[in-house]
Amino acid sequence: MTNIPPPAEELRLLDAELRQLDARRAVLLRRREWLVHVLRTASAQRSVPGAGQMPPVWPVAPGAAAPRTEATAPGVQNVLLLLGGILLTVAAIAFTLVGWGHLGITGRALVLAAVTLAALSAPVWLLRRGLGSTAEAVAALGMALTVLDAYALHEVAFDGSGGLGYAAAASAVLSAAWAAYGAAAGLLVPRSDAGSPARPDRARAGAGTAARPALRLPLPCAVVTAQVPLLLWALAVDAGPHTLTAVLLVTAAADTVVALRPAHAPVRIVGLVGACVAGALGVLSAGWLCWSAAAPVAAARGAALLLLAAAIALAAARYAPKPEVALCASLAAGLCLVAGVGGVLRAWLPAEWTVPGCLALGIALLTAVRTPLPRPMRQGVVGASLVVQGLAVLWTLPLVAGTLLGPVALIERPWSGTPLDIRDAVFQDAAWASYATAAPLVLAAVAGVLALAERRAVRRPASGVGALVLAWAAVVVTPVVLELPYGTGLVADGAVVVVALGVAERARRGTGGPSAPALTALVLALVTSVTLALVSLATEAGTIAVLLALAALFGVASTRAGLVAFTAPAALAHATALACAAGASAGLRPEHTALLVLVVPAVAALVAARAARAGRSAATVTVEAAGAAAALLALTLAVTDLPVLASVLALCGVVTAGTALRPERRRAGHAAAALFLLAAWVRLAAWEVTTPEAYTLPVSVAALAVGYLRRRRDPSVSSWAAHGAGLSVTLVPSLLAMWGDPHWLRPLLLGTAALAVTLVGARSRLQAPLVLGGGTLALVALHELAPYIAQVVGVLPRWAPPALAGLVLLALGATYEQRLRDARRLREALGRLH
């Protein structure tokens, strides 16, 4: 028989086995982590040149976790090499600055020569053994030592020479020496020994791609050092600003040559950055010299520098390997060319003709599209032309904005008198800019260019819209620039409105519907009409004549189906302004002028109805919005006179009620009812009526009538929805007024009315009249009994009210269940009512 241990012993054995399994599992997991670490380390070392052996396998003690690597072997190597190079450089600097004087001239030369030659020759030996990173670090140390050699040479042999001149010569020599050193290292070290094995795929690279040099630092450092020799030389000889600018441009040209050569990528990047920085500084300096020159000769010298920059940019664009670079370079060349010629024109011509001259040259750049230049270069030159044209248009914006917004000041002083001319009316509160004489010519020229582009289908919609806007701006500012007489200027603006409307109609017919040119022309016509109306405020006769003409013009334009949505509201707006002007001319007070303004909403309602019958819903909405705005203006004018305000509200209610007769505007009936109610209330307020029932009873009667008709059409409607609001409008304010009324008539009438409402609710079995009438009747009765209750309470002793309350509570407690049944029956009875 099997010997089964007792439960306690068996539990102990199971726990021991589980602990052994957990320990074994932990050992296996640690072993797995160590193996993963070994594989990752081997993979990292295979990527390092010269590392071909696996690291020794170190056993992992049981219970210890496998070590985690926080840095790769190449990273550690680079950090160590960088720190070593920095320390050696610091030591060399300290030796040169501090310990230099303790050696004789021979010792100094021998030490410098030995250390420098050793540092510069060691990389070749290191590269042949595949130690590329170490070779780079030692080469950097060697180049740093050459800088120290140059400094030491200056201190020993050239102490009396100028610092800037010696620095220029030393930097030039160092740049050439470093470039030669980098090239020589590539010749002395075979490509397969330069730190990594040769790769056939790189050997098969296409023509024009240079192989990576054996040492990567010398050539980029040589290019960086080559940026300063010419500049230091110019500073050493106290060169003028023109010479310094030329030096910057020559340096940029040299950098451009380096950037365009098929050299190693870091060399090209350094050359490109140097070309951009030096070129930008040179162009800015040349531009400042050209545009700040007072004499034509000085301006021509600055322009020559800008032309040099343009030539460099064109050469870079011609030989650029990428289309994007060619486009940007040719764009810069075009801008430099225009800036140079413009600076000369500024010195030769009056100030107002500088921008037109630059614009003419910018437009001339467009001829590049007919040249055999590569496509990116043509695009860049055309882009430069567009930039010049855009800047020229921006130059005219202050004049255009002043022409459009200047007449706003006439609102504060209407009918102040006939101005001397149209410019005096527009720029009465603003200074006139002398340069604005050529603004119309600039706008017309750019508009012509865009129109030509539109005819040749170059971005046709945008070009057409731009040409239209610029041509309009040129025509609008021309009367102001020419100082035409005031009346002639008004006629010219009116003609612009007529022509804009004609262009809109023609564009609409050409496309068979609304298009961008048509909408643009409409907007321009509206803007011009507003400006014309503001300018006409200078004289009374001019205001009325202009507003009448504009209202008639837009009214006639509203007969066109495609324009009515814009022109009809404009006609109504001008008609509203005409009504106000006519009232002021007739000497009417503002509240009486409001009655004239009400003609506009009436006409708008008729026009909207006609548009609705024609199926033009967009025109219907805009016309009704214009009519509503005119009605709101009439209400604002009449707000100071309550009787007139009541009449205006009533007339607005009539117009709204007429609108509600249309099937799609039935909801306007609510607004009409509200307007009639407000008119009645304002009339009562004008009569100084303070009785609340005078204000509430008409509302209640109308609401109850509507509720009655609604329940006749739909018997399922609740009595609260049909009659609740109508009854509450009168009963609640009357209850509130009753508590502060010492007389007996109001409680009597209110109680009688509440009793009648209660009886009607009981007879018709309607919940709302029964509850509201019964509640009101109970509150009226309480109000009438309140004095007697107060008198009785004052006569009773102080213990009587508590005793009475106790008796009531006892009675209620004794009949609690009966009261609940009664309340339930009352609720069910009310629930059965409608």
Side-chain angles (χ1 to χ4, degrees), residues 297-342:
V297 177
R301 293 176 62 189
L305 294 174
L306 286 173
L307 294 180
L308 174 61
I312 296 171
L314 282 178
R318 177 64 181 84
Y319 297 102
K322 294 184 178 181
E324 297 83 3
V325 178
L327 190 149
C328 295
S330 56
L331 174 64
L335 293 178
C336 291
L337 178 63
V338 174
V341 178

Side-chain angles (χ1 to χ4, degrees), residues 420-504:
L420 297 177
D421 49 47
I422 192 65
R423 182 188 295 182
D424 182 60
V426 174
F427 286 90
Q428 190 171 3
D429 294 338
W432 174 257
S434 59
Y435 68 84
T437 305
L441 180 62
V442 170
L443 292 170
V446 180
V449 172
L450 292 178
L452 182 62
E454 191 269 342
R455 288 188 59 185
R456 300 196 175 192
V458 180
R459 297 183 179 179
R460 187 166 186 173
S463 301
V465 171
L468 184 60
V469 172
L470 293 179
W472 165 81
V475 174
V476 167
V477 301
T478 298
V480 180
V481 172
L482 298 179
E483 296 183 83
L484 297 179
Y486 177 69
T488 306
L490 294 180
V491 173
D493 288 344
V496 172
V497 178
V498 174
V499 172
L501 289 175
V503 172

Side-chain angles (χ1 to χ4, degrees), residues 236-285:
V237 298
D238 294 330
H242 290 84
T243 304
L244 288 174
T245 304
V247 164
L248 288 173
L249 293 177
V250 170
T251 304
D255 289 332
T256 303
V257 173
V258 173
L260 295 178
R261 288 183 69 253
H264 187 42
V267 178
R268 292 199 307 271
I269 293 174
V270 172
L272 179 61
V273 173
C276 292
V277 174
L281 293 176
V283 168
L284 292 177
S285 177

